Amino acid sequence: MIRTQALTFTQDCNDCPIRHRAVCARCETDELARLEEIKYYRRFEAGQSVVWSGDRMDFLGSVVNGVATLTQTMEDGRTQMVGLLLPSDFVGRPGRVEAAYDVTATTDLVMCCFRRAPFERMIHETPHIAQRLLEMTLDELDAAREWMLVLGRKTAREKIASLLAIIARRNALVGTADDHAVTLELPLTREAMADYLGLTLETVSRQISALKRDGVIVLTGKRHVAVPDLVRLMAEAGDDTDGGLPA
């Protein structure tokens, strides 16, 4: 059950910014036509709940625009942010009706949703969708393992740089990079960044100021960030820059 009312939204698939990265990326024309019959778009305002953990999810889908957080709540009421959903990320799990996490829009959010039952049938009948979903699942597993390294072994400066690099590289993949320069809007407040990274608010602010002072990032306001050199930011994150960088 979705507890908040989302706004109606429409999108031409030909103009979809995630068309070649989402679960439908490998679909042929006839397969896209089948998806067209079972899809609908939903728009959520920043701060609006998409679904609560334990609620029934009658849809599966992809983030088209915006960012959402995945949060888990413990029995004593403590919460922990466990992931970010960025454009093209898939929401929901085929074969599992109940939501595993709270999903909340942190910015204005647009989702391309598919009705659960017909989409699950398409997974079994359409190899292109099943293969792409498997690839995305394995990518998500790799990202989770990488994040374990970030939280467990990296310094505070490397943690901040890692989070910025993840968002910046995703921006680069959708065509906003120019000679490895990227601009982005931070989807999280500094308080949320502290919670996600296991740091204090003071440490987050101090490390962001240090990255700014050293010329790794340029801040315009509280949320707008320019990265003059993505390779340098990745180096600050302690990541290998020999490959994987968008050309």
Side-chain angles (χ1 to χ4, degrees), residues 2 9 30 34 74 95 110 117 138 161 205-206:
I2 299 177
F9 181 83
D30 60 328
R34 289 183 62 187
M74 300 175 65
V110 174
L138 293 175
S205 296
R206 185 166 58 249

Side-chain angles (χ1 to χ4, degrees), residues 14 16 29 32-33 36 43 48 75 97 115 143 146 156 180 184 212 215 229 235:
N14 291 326
C16 181
T29 302
L32 288 174
E36 188 74 33
R43 171 183 255 165
Q48 191 175 5
E75 291 185 0
V97 176
R115 290 185 284 116
E146 180 181 355
H180 298 164
L184 57 99
K212 175 184 176 183
D229 187 345

Side-chain angles (χ1 to χ4, degrees), residues 16-25 61-67 84-91 109-112 132-133 136 139-140 170 173-174:
C16 181
I18 62 167
R19 169 66 181 87
H20 300 291
R21 296 184 294 127
V23 70
C24 56
S62 299
V63 175
V64 178
N65 289 307
V67 178
L84 286 176
L85 293 171
L86 301 172
S88 79
D89 284 341
F90 195 73
V91 181
L109 183 75
V110 174
M111 288 185 56
C112 177
R132 179 58 182 154
L133 190 58
M136 295 176 72
D139 286 344
E140 184 177 340
R170 291 291 290 271
L173 285 173
V174 296

